Amino acid sequence: MPRQSPSSAPSLARTTNSSSPSHEQKQASSELAEFQEIFSLVDRDQGGTISKVELADLMDVLGIETSPEEIDAMIKETDRSGNGDIGFEEFVALMSRKVITSHTPDEVKNAFRALNLHNDASAKQGFIDVDSLAESLETFSNGRGTKEEASELIAQLEPDRNRRINFIENVNLMM
């Protein structure tokens, strides 16, 4: 799918130590803006979720032949909230898994570092705190996702007792 740079994309640049965003923050912001644009195009009824019909239509537009059973399986795999539709955070998770093969592990790790809005030193050690990740998810969902959905996604990354997620370990497991 061709990349587009929407000029009206929300800014990820929210750092505490710098007035200008880093390259990683700009890249993460651009990717999330692309996901938001794609999500908005697919969510034709603007209901805040992608239905089975909308997902099937997307597959048709992309020229990907899918059976109704495959669409059901995609929804089941992605729908963490259990409502039968795909919310924005679920869509980002799905797209990230699909797109991840075009990114190196270092690029994915740098994206996690860019999402560390609090700029704490633990990002250099491979950790992101739960609050920073939740804030990032809320910022980039533009009100389309719920805090519960963000919490579910974060829980899947298994935070430690200090409420930190080892993103290096998670990326290494996924890739």
Side-chain angles (χ1 to χ4, degrees):
M1 185 174 301
R3 290 187 168 258
Q4 298 174 355
S5 298
S7 59
S8 61
S11 175
L12 171 66
R14 291 183 27 191
T15 62
T16 56
N17 295 337
S18 173
S19 61
S20 63
S22 70
H23 172 73
E24 291 85 8
Q25 287 172 320
K26 288 179 184 176
Q27 182 177 0
S29 177
S30 174
E31 287 177 10
L32 282 169
E34 287 178 40
F35 288 158
Q36 181 64 53
E37 185 175 331
I38 293 166
F39 184 86
S40 294
L41 291 171
V42 175
D43 180 20
R44 289 189 318 244
D45 67 0
Q46 300 301 303
T49 59
I50 297 173
S51 67
K52 290 179 184 182
V53 171
E54 290 169 327
L55 183 58
D57 289 346
L58 173 63
M59 295 297 115
D60 288 343
V61 167
L62 295 175
I64 301 171
E65 291 186 45
T66 52
S67 69
E69 293 79 20
E70 289 171 315
I71 295 294
D72 286 342
M74 290 171 72
I75 293 280
K76 184 177 180 181
E77 172 191 344
T78 307
D79 180 23
R80 300 293 181 210
S81 64
N83 66 358
D85 293 330
I86 300 174
F88 181 71
E89 285 85 0
E90 295 164 331
F91 180 76
V92 169
L94 174 66
M95 294 297 289
S96 296
R97 283 194 302 260
K98 301 301 181 194
V99 172
I100 219 160
T101 58
S102 67
H103 295 291
T104 68
D106 285 339
E107 289 172 328
V108 176
K109 291 170 190 173
N110 285 334
F112 268 102
R113 285 183 185 98
L115 291 175
N116 187 356
L117 300 177
H118 301 139
N119 279 338
D120 74 27
S122 66
K124 290 183 171 108
Q125 300 167 354
F127 291 92
I128 185 168
D129 66 274
V130 168
D131 294 332
S132 191
L133 184 55
E135 186 177 341
S136 295
L137 289 170
E138 188 174 328
T139 299
F140 301 119
S141 71
N142 291 326
R144 292 197 183 256
T146 66
K147 290 185 185 216
E148 292 79 24
E149 290 171 330
S151 293
E152 288 174 20
L153 288 172
I154 290 169
Q156 291 174 23
L157 297 173
E158 300 177 355
D160 65 17
R161 67 177 181 266
N162 296 319
R163 296 182 40 82
R164 298 181 314 162
I165 296 164
N166 184 333
F167 62 81
I168 290 178
E169 182 178 288
N170 278 284
V171 170
N172 290 341
L173 287 172
M174 290 188 315
M175 302 182 88

